[in-house]
Amino acid sequence: MIDSNPATVVVYSGGMDSYTVLHRVLRETPNVHALSFHYGQRHSRELDVARDVCNRLGIEHQVVDITAIHGLIDNSALTDASRAMPDGDYAEDNLTATVVPNRNMILLSLAIAKAVNVGASRVAYGAHGGDHVLYPDCRPAFVEAMNDVAAIANFSPVEIHAPYLRASKSEILADGLAMGLDYGETWTCYEGRELACGRCGSCRERLAAFAAHGVTDPLVYADTSADTQHV
């Protein structure tokens, strides 16, 4: 029997993709548990944004401190603030430094535990097609394998739900705009400064998605030069 109202744990970083996933899941079920992780990332801007959104929506939100594992995953520009953050578009040759070792397997494993603990049948996260070039743990093969494991790792099977697995950032934005979402409630930049940098791969991909739709990004950027707002 298919559960038409599945309780879902949403891995919610506070970024653009997980924000869209969260609202999409909320349209499917009111029984949502938002789960964020502090794993020693170089800034906490996304976590602050995630708290604010969940407070506004009135949904359960848990921030899990797993900084004790930081020394196991600190070989990344996202977890080592002393390393220079690479600029430029998403590509294996210039953004490999942003890969956090085994991140999504770790986070999904903990989210699966949460799901079993609260009786949720799904774990949702924001892997998407634009990440495939760089992040192995956002690719279909990984999601399919994790789905298989999640089905047998506990007495209660859990489905890994990645609704944008084969979608581009532009397609995710299109879905969010159709839902009337305010992307000023998100933080995408790899840097944690007062303004989004506009130069890192994450900012550039986001700006390109807005430009493709002819829509102005509600975030304010430190660098608004024309070459960052490409399509």
Side-chain angles (χ1 to χ4, degrees), residues 38 72 76 80-81 108 143 162 225:
H38 182 15
L72 305 178
S76 168
D80 182 356
L108 286 173
V143 175
S225 58

Side-chain angles (χ1 to χ4, degrees), residues 14-211:
M16 179 176 169
D17 306 323
S18 63
Y19 175 78
T20 313
V21 170
L22 178 68
H23 283 83
R24 178 165 173 160
V25 171
L26 282 168
R27 291 194 164 208
E28 299 168 353
T29 175
N31 197 348
V32 172
H33 306 263
L35 189 61
S36 303
F37 296 94
H38 182 15
Y39 55 85
Q41 53 267 58
R42 65 192 289 153
H43 67 81
S44 60
R45 287 293 299 273
E46 281 186 325
L47 295 178
D48 295 338
V49 166
R51 288 188 188 94
D52 290 344
V53 168
C54 291
N55 285 337
R56 179 181 62 76
L57 293 173
I59 62 174
E60 179 192 322
H61 180 223
Q62 183 177 3
V63 179
V64 184
D65 186 342
I66 56 172
T67 52
I69 71 167
H70 184 257
L72 305 178
I73 58 171
D74 62 356
N75 187 26
S76 168
L78 295 190
T79 49
D80 182 356
S82 69
R83 299 179 63 172
M85 182 63 67
D87 293 338
D89 296 332
Y90 269 100
E92 188 173 358
D93 61 350
N94 70 327
L95 286 179
T96 302
T98 65
V99 176
V100 177
N102 212 33
R103 178 172 58 179
N104 281 338
M105 184 177 285
I106 294 167
L107 303 189
L108 286 173
S109 293
L110 294 172
I112 291 165
K114 167 82 172 181
V116 173
N117 197 49
V118 300
S121 60
R122 295 193 306 179
V123 166
Y125 86 121
H128 69 89
D131 286 335
H132 296 175
V133 66
L134 187 62
Y135 302 115
D137 56 6
C138 291
R139 295 171 184 167
F142 172 80
V143 175
E144 291 162 8
M146 282 298 292
N147 221 346
D148 290 341
V149 171
I152 62 173
N154 298 278
F155 289 118
S156 302
V158 175
E159 175 196 357
I160 304 299
H161 181 51
Y164 298 115
L165 184 59
R166 291 175 171 81
S168 67
K169 181 76 78 171
S170 178
E171 290 169 324
I172 294 173
L173 178 59
D175 202 13
L177 293 175
M179 287 189 279
L181 302 187
D182 176 8
Y183 285 96
E185 295 186 323
T186 66
W187 184 265
T188 303
C189 183
Y190 284 151
E191 302 282 0
R193 300 170 185 169
E194 183 65 25
L195 302 179
C197 73
R199 298 184 305 273
C200 70
S202 190
C203 280
R204 291 173 68 92
E205 185 186 37
R206 174 179 172 133
L207 284 165
F210 276 92

